[in-house]
Amino acid sequence: MSRIAYVNGQYRPLRDASVNIEDRGYQFADGVYEVCEVRGGRIVDVPRHMARLQRSLRELRIAMPMSLAALTVVLHEVVARNHVHYGLVYLQITRGVARRDHVFPAPGVRPSLVVTARSLNFEKNQLSASRGIAVATVPENRWPRVDIKTVALLPNVLARQTAREQGAYEAWYVGADGFVTEGSASNAWIVTHAGVVVTRSAERGILAGVTRAVLINLLADLQIKLEERPFTPEEACGAAEAFVTAATQLVMPVVTIDGKPIGDGAPGPVARRLREEFHRFSEFS
Ligand code: PDD
């Protein structure tokens, strides 16, 4: 079965779907994106993803290509046309097509919109969670506006590749101050021996993850204490547990950092419970 993509007003087989070579997303990474989890054929936390999308667009002064309602219809249509039961839906908006010039194009240039969806292997994801993942630390080298979910992901690509070459799944950025900011495509968390869950404040240095926000609601409900503060890789190595969060990972236990085991080197009970109960505070549509 051929996958279907939405590209600027048309649903097309993926192999025929293409964008103009002068699209500013292609030439300058001048665009933003969102990734939502699909579960049971429904999209998870659309309003939160849409709110972050609108904020990213505002910060970069890119117009919405269509109304929120219409965009939501397209997301659901792409999920349905690709028969995704469990997986992800990806959307990307760029500043549009114009002759290459760093300055913004004329106001009439329409933003480009691409939406794709694909199935993921649920069992494989669960197996990773039951084993836990390895993390490798890398120096923070991104621009300061990591709060914007832009498609300019070259430092993230290089960090993830470095991790992979060291036998790790995810990379954790460590700032010049010695503190972990976040993962190359996830937020970073630890659990102290006192059972306190710690993650960096979303005010600076990280992307405000949707999964992070939902998890904070769950922590409150479970009366698990949360501290929003930075931590170092050394504190993480000495912690009881560590995990990462992202739309397609949910709560994914981390069992080693730079080859050093965390706790007993196996996923811990807090991460396991948070993963199991995660969707209690998600919105499905
Ligand atoms: N990444 N931090 C970064 C740098 C990310 O790229 C992501 C998500 C997150 C977690 O955000 P959320 O919980 O909203 O997924 C944090 C997506 C999944 C990606 O790039 O594929």
Side-chain angles (χ1 to χ4, degrees), residues 33-35 49 52 142 149 153 156 182-187 207-212 245-248:
Y33 75 107
E34 283 293 329
V35 177
H49 283 283
R52 186 172 64 188
R142 299 173 299 161
K149 200 163 171 62
L153 290 173
N156 309 60
E182 63 180 334
S184 72
S186 60
N187 290 123
L207 179 77
V210 167
T211 320
R212 178 187 182 282
T245 55
T248 50

Side-chain angles (χ1 to χ4, degrees), residues 65-100:
M66 59 175 66
S67 71
L68 257 194
L71 184 54
T72 305
V73 169
V74 172
L75 292 179
H76 283 103
E77 189 62 26
V78 172
V79 168
R81 288 190 188 218
N82 288 283
H83 308 286
V84 178
H85 186 73
Y86 172 71
L88 63 86
V89 58
Y90 173 87
L91 91 85
Q92 176 173 318
I93 298 171
T94 72
R95 204 180 300 277
V97 176
R99 195 186 63 196
R100 187 177 182 278

Side-chain angles (χ1 to χ4, degrees), residues 133-170:
I133 60 163
V135 156
T137 58
V138 295
E140 177 65 88
N141 60 357
R142 299 173 299 161
W143 75 325
R145 295 307 310 274
V146 295
D147 56 303
I148 305 171
K149 200 163 171 62
T150 108
V151 294
L153 290 173
L154 190 52
N156 309 60
V157 166
L158 296 177
R160 184 64 78 92
Q161 183 63 23
T162 299
R164 199 55 59 90
E165 286 166 8
Q166 291 175 18
Y169 178 78
E170 178 58 305

